[in-house]
C-alpha cells in the first residue's frame, strides 16, 4: 500500500471527531440554564471546528481543529430571589440554545453510526478478500 | 498474471479506491466547505482496458459531486446519496471478488488434473 492511511483511519478519526462533538453538546446541555452573576462569567456553548485532512488522492479524513465558544449571547433575567443575583436583582443565564443542541446531538449520533457502518462493510470486504481462493 | 485474471484485478483495485473516496465523503459529512468526490468507475476501467496506468486513470476520472441541494456551509455531502453509492460499490466489489475466486478455482482444478 502506498497510502499512509487506510479506510480504518478515515472512519476512526471521523468517529473521534463526532464523539468530540457529542461531548461538547453534552457539556452544553449540562450547563444550559445555569446562571452567573456577570455577563462574562456566564457559560457560552462550546462548538468543535472540523477540518478536512487530505492524505492522498483518494483519502480525506477529518480532524477537530479547535473548540470555540459560540456567539450565542447569555440571557439577562430578572430573578431577585436568586443567591447569584447582582444588586439590581439580575442574573445571566448560560448562552445555550437547547433546541440547537438537541439537533446537534442527534446529528452527531447519526453520523457516528454511519461511520461505524462504513467500518463494518470495509472490514467484511477485506476479510472476504483475504479468504479468496480458499 | 494479467492474462489469468483479465480485467478483474484492476476492477477490484478501482472498486477499493472508490470505496475509500466514498468513505472519505461520509467521514466529512459535517465538515464545512468539504466537496464530495467520486470516481467514474466505467470510464476509469475503460481507460485501463485501453492501456492507461491505474493512477492516471483514477486521477483523470475523479470528479466533484454536484449536490441536489447545496448546504449553507459549502459542504456538498448528501448522506443518502453517499450511503447508497457506498453500499452499491461494496456489492460490486463482492461481485468482482467472486469472479476472481471462480477463476482461481478453475486454475486449481486444472492444476490437479480433475
Amino acid at each position: 500500500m502506498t497510502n499512509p492511511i487506510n479506510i480504518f483511519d478515515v472512519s476512526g478519526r471521523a468517529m473521534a471527531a463526532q464523539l468530540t462533538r457529542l461531548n461538547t453538546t453534552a457539556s452544553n446541555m449540562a450547563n444550559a440554564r445555569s446562571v452567573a452573576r456577570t455577563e462574562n462569567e456566564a457559560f457560552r456553548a462550546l462548538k468543535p471546528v472540523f477540518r478536512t485532512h487530505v492524505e492522498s488522492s483518494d483519502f480525506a479524513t477529518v480532524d477537530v481543529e479547535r473548540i470555540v465558544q459560540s456567539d450565542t449571547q447569555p440571557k439577562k433575567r430578572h430573578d431577585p430571589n436568586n443567591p447569584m443575583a447582582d444588586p439590581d436583582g439580575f442574573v445571566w443565564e448560560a448562552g445555550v440554545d437547547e433546541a440547537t443542541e438537541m439537533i446537534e446531538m442527534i446529528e452527531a449520533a447519526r453520523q457516528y453510526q454511519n461511520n461505524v457502518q462504513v467500518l463494518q462493510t470495509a472490514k467484511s470486504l477485506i476479510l472476504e478478500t483475504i479468504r479468496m481462493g480458499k | 498474471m494479467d492474462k489469468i485474471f483479465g480485467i478483474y484485478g484492476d476492477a477490484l483495485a478501482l472498486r477499493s479506491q472508490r470505496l475509500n473516496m466514498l468513505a472519505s465523503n461520509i467521514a466529512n459529512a459535517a465538515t464545512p466547505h468539504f466537496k464530495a468526490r467520486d470516481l467514474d468507475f466505467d470510464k476509469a476501467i475503460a481507460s485501463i482496458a485501453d492501456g492507461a496506468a491505474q493512477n492516471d486513470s483514477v486521477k483523470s476520472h475523479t470528479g466533484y459531486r454536484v449536490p441536489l441541494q447545496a448546504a449553507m456551509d459549502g459542504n456538498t455531502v448528501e448522506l443518502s446519496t453517499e450511503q447508497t453509492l457506498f453500499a452499491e460499490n461494496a456489492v460490486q466489489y463482492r461481485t468482482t471478488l467472486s469472479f476472481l475466486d471462480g477463476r482461481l478455482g478453475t486454475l486449481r482444478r486444472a492444476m490437479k488434473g480433475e
Side-chain angles (χ1 to χ4, degrees), chain A residues 98-118:
Chain A
E98 284 163 289
T100 311
E101 298 302 330
M102 282 303 287
I103 293 165
E104 202 62 21
M105 181 188 83
I106 294 166
E107 206 177 280
R110 172 79 204 284
Q111 287 174 2
Y112 187 93
Q113 276 176 349
N114 286 334
N115 283 295
V116 172
Q117 198 69 50
V118 166

Side-chain angles (χ1 to χ4, degrees), chain B residues 61-73:
Chain B
H61 294 105
T62 296
Y64 290 100
R65 173 111 53 237
V66 179
L68 293 171
Q69 196 176 20
M72 296 244 288
D73 62 0

Side-chain angles (χ1 to χ4, degrees), chain B residues 2-114:
Chain B
D2 279 0
K3 274 182 189 157
I4 297 170
F5 295 116
I7 199 77
Y8 296 125
D10 293 313
L12 200 69
L14 278 184
R15 286 284 172 219
S16 142
Q17 275 186 300
R18 184 162 185 233
L19 207 71
N20 296 341
M21 282 182 201
L22 297 172
S24 298
N25 292 348
I26 294 174
N28 280 285
T31 319
H33 310 301
F34 179 81
K35 305 285 180 246
R37 294 180 315 146
D38 198 4
L39 172 71
D40 188 331
F41 179 84
D42 293 345
K43 283 183 186 159
I45 197 78
S47 76
I48 286 179
D50 286 343
Q54 197 197 316
N55 277 350
D56 299 338
S57 171
V58 168
K59 218 168 264 174
S60 52
H61 294 105
T62 296
Y64 290 100
R65 173 111 53 237
V66 179
L68 293 171
Q69 196 176 20
M72 296 244 288
D73 62 0
N75 183 306
T76 63
V77 178
E78 282 168 331
L79 273 174
S80 50
T81 312
E82 302 301 334
Q83 279 180 298
T84 313
L85 291 175
F86 185 87
E88 195 184 335
N89 193 63
V91 170
Q92 286 161 337
Y93 183 97
R94 276 202 181 93
T95 312
T96 308
L97 205 59
S98 70
F99 276 127
L100 276 171
D101 214 17
R103 194 65 61 98
L104 277 173
T106 312
L107 280 175
R108 182 169 293 146
R109 280 194 297 281
M111 284 190 275
K112 277 189 193 157
E114 278 172 12

Side-chain angles (χ1 to χ4, degrees), chain A residues 36-53:
Chain A
R37 192 181 292 272
T38 66
E39 186 177 3
N40 283 339
E41 284 171 31
F43 181 85
R44 282 173 174 79
L46 300 171
K47 301 273 174 218
V49 178
F50 287 0
R51 182 181 217 150
T52 307
H53 191 95

Side-chain angles (χ1 to χ4, degrees), chain A residues 4 6 29 41 56 58 60 70 83 90 114 123 131:
Chain A
N6 60 35
M29 288 292 275
E41 284 171 31
S56 67
D58 54 342
S70 85
F90 286 102
N114 286 334
K123 190 189 80 179
R131 280 198 293 270

